[in-house]
C-alpha cells in the first residue's frame, strides 16, 4: 500500500471525490453550503474554492449568495465530453467495467454513490454483465431476485455504492434499506415487475453521508497509528467515530459500523496504520484475511 500522508495517490482520490460531488450538485441544479462540505471532506475554504474554480473551466457554474452556493451546468455536449475527460483523468473511470457517456450521466444523476479508493474493475464477464443489469434495474426501478449469503432475496435497488474499494448495491428488502456486497451476489435475475421509489427512502439515502444502512450496527475499537491521525482524523468513515484515548504512539478510535465488512475493508485499506482491538473475533477474521492474502500471492 502506498503511503497515505502527503501528496500520494490518495490525495488524487480525495480530489476526485470532491469534484464528483460538485459535478453532481451542478448536474442536478442543487445548492450547498461550503462550510458543510469543509466539515464533510476535512478541507479548508480555500480548497473548496479551488475545486470550484477548476470545474468552471469544464462548463459548471457556481454562484454564492449569503453563504449558499447555487450550482448549475451549461453546454450539454461540451459538458458530457469534458466530464468524461475529467473522470478519466481523476481515475474514476477505472472502477467501472466500461465507461462512456451513459456512465457519466448516471454518475452525475446519482445512480452511483462513490467514496474513496479507486481500484480497477475486475476483468470478469459475469460481474460485468451483472453490474450492467443492476444499473439498468436501478434506473428503471425493476425488482431484483438474487442469492446472497446462501439465501434467496427479492429487493428493490436504489443505488450502487463504491466505498473503500468495494462495490455495494443499496436495496430495499422487505421495507428496510440494506447494502449488499456486489461480488457476493449470484443468480441475479432482473424482473419485469417494477416499483415506485419511496420519497422517504430517497431522503434517507441523501441524508446518509456514509451510505451505510443496517438494522443491527456493530461497535468496535480500532488502534490508529499517530502518524495517520492527521489524515484519518478529519474524515468520517463510519456511522459514528470518536477518538477516546491517545498516547505518544497510538490513538483509540471507537466506531459504530453497519457491517463487519465496513471495518475489515477500512483496516485493509489503511494497513499498517490501523489494528482492530475489539471485538477480538473481528481481528482474528482480519488476520485470516491477511494470511490468505499471503498464501494467494497478494490478492485481497
Amino acid at each position: 500500500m502506498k503511503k497515505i500522508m502527503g501528496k500520494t495517490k490518495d490525495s488524487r482520490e480525495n480530489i476526485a471525490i470532491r469534484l464528483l460531488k460538485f459535478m453532481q450538485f451542478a448536474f442536478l441544479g442543487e445548492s450547498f453550503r461550503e462550510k458543510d462540505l469543509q466539515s464533510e471532506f476535512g478541507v479548508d475554504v480555500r480548497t473548496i474554492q479551488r475545486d470550484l474554480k477548476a470545474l468552471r473551466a469544464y462548463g459548471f457554474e457556481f454562484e454564492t449568495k449569503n453563504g449558499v452556493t447555487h450550482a448549475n451546468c451549461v453546454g450539454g455536449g461540451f459538458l458530457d465530453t469534458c466530464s468524461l475527460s475529467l473522470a478519466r483523468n481523476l481515475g474514476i473511470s477505472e472502477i467501472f467495467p466500461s465507461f462512456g457517456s451513459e456512465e457519466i450521466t448516471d454518475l452525475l444523476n446519482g445512480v452511483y454513490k462513490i467514496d474513496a479508493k479507486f481500484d480497477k474493475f475486475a476483468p470478469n464477464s459475469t460481474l460485468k454483465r451483472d453490474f450492467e443489469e443492476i444499473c439498468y434495474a436501478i434506473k428503471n426501478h425493476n425488482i431484483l431476485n438474487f442469492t446472497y449469503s446462501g439465501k434467496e432475496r427479492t429487493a428493490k435497488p436504489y443505488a450502487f455504492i463504491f466505498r473503500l474499494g468495494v462495490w455495494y448495491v443499496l436495496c430495499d428488502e422487505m421495507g428496510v434499506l440494506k447494502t449488499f456486497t456486489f461480488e457476493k451476489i449470484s443468480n441475479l435475475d432482473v424482473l419485469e415487475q417494477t416499483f415506485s421509489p419511496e420519497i422517504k427512502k430517497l431522503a434517507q439515502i441523501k441524508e446518509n453521508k456514509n451510505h451505510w444502512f443496517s438494522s443491527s450496527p456493530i461497535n468496535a475499537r480500532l488502534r490508529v497509528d499517530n502518524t495517520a491521525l492527521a489524515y484519518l482524523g478529519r474524515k468520517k468513515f463510519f456511522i459514528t467515530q470518536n477518538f477516546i484515548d491517545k498516547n505518544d504512539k497510538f490513538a483509540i478510535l471507537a466506531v459504530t459500523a453497519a457491517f463487519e465488512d465496513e471495518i475489515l475493508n477500512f483496516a485493509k485499506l489503511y494497513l499498517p496504520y490501523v489494528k482492530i482491538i475489539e471485538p477480538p473475533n473481528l481481528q482474528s477474521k482480519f488476520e485470516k484475511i491477511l494470511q490468505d492474502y499471503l498464501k494467494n500471492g497478494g490478492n485481497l
Side-chain angles (χ1 to χ4, degrees):
M1 172 182 164
K2 293 188 177 182
K3 185 179 178 184
I4 65 173
M5 308 304 136
K7 294 183 178 180
T8 63
K9 181 181 178 183
D10 183 77
S11 64
R12 174 174 176 251
E13 291 169 350
N14 288 337
I15 293 170
I17 295 303
R18 295 197 307 271
L19 294 186
L20 177 57
K21 183 79 169 183
F22 296 133
M23 288 163 67
Q24 289 176 329
F25 280 138
F27 192 77
L28 299 174
E30 296 184 347
S31 302
F32 58 90
R33 293 183 180 274
E34 290 185 10
K35 64 179 182 180
D36 294 336
L37 294 181
Q38 290 175 47
S39 175
E40 179 178 342
F41 294 123
V43 296
D44 57 24
V45 64
R46 289 178 298 176
T47 301
I48 297 292
Q49 292 173 350
R50 187 166 58 245
D51 291 342
L52 300 183
K53 181 180 179 181
L55 285 175
R56 287 188 178 99
Y58 286 87
F60 296 90
E61 297 179 340
F62 302 95
E63 182 180 357
T64 303
K65 290 183 179 179
N66 301 322
V68 178
T69 298
H70 304 278
N72 207 340
C73 57
V74 295
F78 171 77
L79 174 64
D80 186 65
T81 301
C82 288
S83 298
L84 276 170
S85 173
L86 184 61
R88 289 184 175 125
N89 289 339
L90 292 171
I92 296 172
S93 61
E94 296 180 356
I95 68 177
F96 292 86
S98 61
F99 196 82
S101 58
E102 184 175 356
E103 282 73 24
I104 194 67
T105 300
D106 292 342
L107 191 63
L108 297 178
N109 263 320
V111 172
Y112 310 105
K113 312 293 183 183
I114 311 294
D115 191 355
K117 185 76 171 69
F118 297 167
D119 289 334
K120 289 186 178 181
F121 192 91
N124 180 306
S125 59
T126 301
L127 285 178
K128 183 177 184 296
R129 184 182 65 247
D130 285 356
F131 189 96
E132 292 170 349
E133 290 189 356
I134 292 174
C135 185
Y136 172 88
I138 292 170
K139 290 187 290 182
N140 295 281
H141 312 310
N142 292 85
I143 294 176
L144 300 177
N145 275 349
F146 55 88
T147 303
Y148 192 86
S149 298
K151 297 180 180 179
E152 296 299 319
R153 312 272 186 157
T154 298
K156 303 170 183 176
Y158 274 78
F160 258 124
I161 299 171
F162 188 81
R163 183 166 175 77
L164 299 176
V166 179
W167 277 110
Y168 300 87
V169 186
L170 176 60
C171 296
D172 172 358
E173 184 185 36
M174 300 179 67
V176 178
L177 284 173
K178 300 179 180 179
T179 46
F180 298 91
T181 305
F182 167 63
E183 292 192 9
K184 294 181 180 180
I185 291 175
S186 61
N187 303 319
L188 177 68
D189 185 18
V190 179
L191 305 183
E192 293 185 5
Q193 181 182 357
T194 60
F195 68 97
S196 297
E198 296 180 28
I199 295 176
K200 184 178 180 180
K201 285 187 170 57
L202 291 172
Q204 186 180 353
I205 293 168
K206 186 174 181 179
E207 292 169 4
N208 189 316
K209 301 299 183 182
N210 288 339
H211 309 306
W212 288 105
F213 298 87
S214 174
S215 57
S216 51
I218 298 170
N219 294 317
R221 294 193 178 192
L222 311 176
R223 191 184 72 183
V224 179
D225 192 295
N226 282 350
T227 58
L229 283 183
Y231 176 77
L232 298 182
R234 67 173 186 258
K235 290 194 67 176
K236 186 172 182 180
F237 296 92
F238 302 96
I239 298 172
T240 64
Q241 60 184 60
N242 294 289
F243 286 100
I244 59 174
D245 195 13
K246 182 181 178 182
N247 58 33
D248 58 343
K249 292 183 178 180
F250 305 105
I252 302 299
L253 180 64
V255 307
T256 300
F259 303 100
E260 284 188 354
D261 279 356
E262 184 182 0
I263 299 171
L264 293 171
N265 289 333
F266 179 80
K268 283 191 292 185
L269 180 59
Y270 294 110
L271 186 74
Y273 301 98
V274 173
K275 180 179 180 180
I276 302 170
I277 304 300
E278 296 177 2
N281 67 304
L282 199 55
Q283 175 61 19
S284 299
K285 186 176 290 188
F286 181 61
E287 291 172 359
K288 176 66 166 54
I289 291 173
L290 295 181
Q291 291 168 3
D292 291 342
Y293 167 78
L294 295 174
K295 188 183 300 183
N296 296 328
N299 183 14
L300 275 175

